[in-house]
Structure formats: structure tokens, C-alpha cells
Amino acid sequence: MSAPLNGKRVAFLVTDGFEQVELTGPREALQNNGAVVDILSDKEGTVRGWNHDKPADEFAVDATFENAHLDLYDALVLPGGVQNSDTIRLIPGAQKLVKSHQSANKPLAVICHGAWLLVSSGLAKGKRMTSYKTLQDDIRNAGGTWVDEEVVVDGNLISSRQPDDIPAFNDQLVRALAV
């Protein structure tokens, strides 16, 4: 029996300091359903995850933001982590990728502090979404509607609050890609 996501490819956009479980949990769910997953970053080599405020594992980078071929990807996932999210939001290549992906109306999934990249890219405006609670003012100030729910779907945007919500986040992400 074939997996529902066979033939689908998903990119995770991260820099050093991403919340590790917000990459590994969704990646495992996607791979278990047949998707191919790539890690994109601002540099070649590896990126380091964090377990909240402590350095954790290193992960191989498949492509940089600058040399990634966006047309390969059926979805983008933006894990959080304060350090990662505060860094990635200012990287022009990351902003370009999420804007292009949004224009193509493909699934764009964001968890926790990952929403900062959408705020800085002008993509929160007019969107109903959630995030870690400390971002609610940023989202509202960027023209979005922030709600406190474990997962919110608004068009192609899937957003979630925190690591505890990963199972619901994964379900919505797999469902969006299975169409």
C-alpha cells in the first residue's frame, strides 16, 4: 500500500537555534507518510537544533536559501525557536522563499516563533493564525488576527502554538499535502 504523501517533497527553513522537536516531530510524520524532507538554511553544512535553551543535535543542510529550487517543494515548514526565528526573519533569501511559496498558494506551515518570518515578510496581514503567545502583538500589529488555538488553518497557512501542539499540527500538515 502506498503512503498518502508519496511523491511529495517538503522543505524546512531553519538557521542555528531552531527548536529541535519542531523539526523532528513534523519531519517524522511527513516521512512516515511517504514525503521526502529537505532542510534549507542560510549556510551549507549543518545547522544546530536546540532543546528550548540548550544546544542539541546537528542536522545536514540539503540546500541554502539562495540555491534552493522552490518548484521542487509542495510545502514549506517554519519551525520556531527564539534564536532561529529572530535570525531567519531578517534573511532576504528566506523572505523571498516564503513570499514565492505563498504566491504559489502551496501549504505553508509555521509553529511557535516561526511566525516571525511571516510577520517580517508581510505575510501575516489578513491572516487568522496562532503562534507562541508572546508573538500575538507582533501578528496583530502586522495586520493578522491572532487566536489561541492548538492549530489554525487559513487558506494554505497552517499555524500552531508550541511543541505540545505538534500532533495536531502534523495532522493538518499531512492532510493539506494529501490532496
Side-chain angles (χ1 to χ4, degrees), residues 4-34:
L5 302 184
N6 280 349
K8 301 288 182 169
R9 189 174 204 115
V10 179
F12 281 71
L13 276 60
V14 295
T15 63
D16 286 320
F18 63 90
E19 187 66 35
Q20 185 162 309
V21 71
E22 293 173 7
L23 181 143
T24 58
R27 181 180 69 174
E28 181 179 335
L30 290 164
Q31 290 173 331
N32 286 345
N33 280 282

Side-chain angles (χ1 to χ4, degrees), residues 84-153:
N84 162 70
S85 300
D86 197 42
T87 300
I88 200 170
R89 70 187 301 186
L90 299 176
I91 299 173
Q95 287 189 15
K96 180 181 174 187
L97 286 173
V98 294
K99 287 177 183 177
S100 296
H101 197 78
Q102 176 63 25
S103 294
N105 203 33
K106 294 179 182 178
L108 181 57
V110 57
I111 187 165
C112 204
H113 288 82
W116 267 339
L117 180 54
L118 301 183
V119 168
S120 293
S121 300
L123 299 178
K125 187 174 185 174
K127 290 292 187 178
R128 182 177 181 272
M129 60 191 298
T130 194
S131 67
Y132 192 69
K133 61 188 173 187
T134 58
L135 275 68
Q136 63 184 296
D137 290 342
D138 298 319
I139 290 168
R140 288 181 180 129
N141 290 338
T145 301
W146 186 87
V147 294
D148 186 12
E149 297 174 16
E150 69 178 354
V151 66
V152 175
V153 178

Side-chain angles (χ1 to χ4, degrees), residues 32-67:
N32 286 345
N33 280 282
V36 172
V37 176
D38 289 340
I39 295 175
L40 308 183
S41 190
D42 59 330
K43 63 180 178 135
E44 295 177 340
T46 61
V47 287
R48 183 173 297 279
W50 281 55
N51 292 327
H52 189 57
D53 60 350
K54 304 263 186 294
D57 300 325
E58 287 191 356
F59 295 81
V61 172
D62 296 295
T64 65
F65 300 145
E66 296 303 323
N67 66 18

